[in-house]
Amino acid sequence: MGMSVTISAASAQDAEQILKLQYLCYQNEAELYGDYTIEPLTQTLDDLRDELAQGHGLVARLGDEVVASVRGRIDATGTARIAKLIVHPRMRRHGLGGRLLDAIETHFAGQPEAQRFQLFTGHRSEGNLRLYRSRGYAPVSTEQAGPRLRLVTLEKEASKEAAAAGAYVASA
């Protein structure tokens, strides 16, 4: 019998595992764009802890191991800014990224100030773009972030029905 993946709120104690996973997951992005100075690869543990304290993070665990994560926060305009959706390379293509995205949307949709969801990815990150489009996100802008990298910002309206759908799905 295999273990189930569980999704729960991230805590400060998860920060080190999240940072190590983030470093592993963003290697492909850095290679794709020829830039190993992207923020997810240079973020410090203290910065990540601050991000978790100022917003909301989720982790997916397989046993005690953090195998995926996402975080975000709602800004003053009512935009839930979702960031750093990461899935361990061995766990990709099994729907875990979509489950995490749904779970963080559900969390933010339950907050009255949330009007829309917004996230971004690189213009060549086809898997990310495909996932976000499949979840109803549409491109709203692009920004040149480096010589080879354009960031595509995608957005969708917050659905209060998503909040009523319930809490995190506990197992895979």
Side-chain angles (χ1 to χ4, degrees), residues 58-157:
L58 296 175
V59 292
R61 298 181 201 286
L62 184 60
D64 292 333
E65 180 187 8
V66 172
V67 295
S69 181
V70 65
R71 52 197 183 261
R73 64 181 186 82
I74 299 176
D75 69 15
T77 69
T79 302
R81 297 189 186 278
I82 299 170
K84 297 185 182 100
L85 175 60
I86 54 174
V87 177
H88 193 290
R90 77 171 190 276
M91 301 294 292
R92 292 180 183 156
R93 313 272 320 148
H94 296 287
L96 188 51
R99 284 180 53 206
L100 271 175
L101 186 56
D102 292 346
I104 201 152
E105 286 177 4
T106 298
H107 169 80
F108 286 130
Q111 298 185 24
E113 63 272 23
Q115 301 299 310
R116 73 198 62 74
F117 302 120
Q118 190 178 83
L119 42 74
F120 64 87
T121 192
H123 70 286
R124 292 185 199 150
S125 302
E126 288 302 323
N128 297 348
L129 290 165
R130 190 171 34 257
L131 170 63
Y132 302 148
R133 286 183 179 128
S134 77
R135 292 299 200 271
Y137 286 83
V140 293
S141 68
T142 60
E143 172 189 343
Q144 196 70 37
R148 299 183 195 169
L149 172 61
R150 281 191 324 272
L151 292 177
V152 180
T153 299
L154 300 101
E155 188 174 284
K156 75 176 184 180
E157 293 305 306

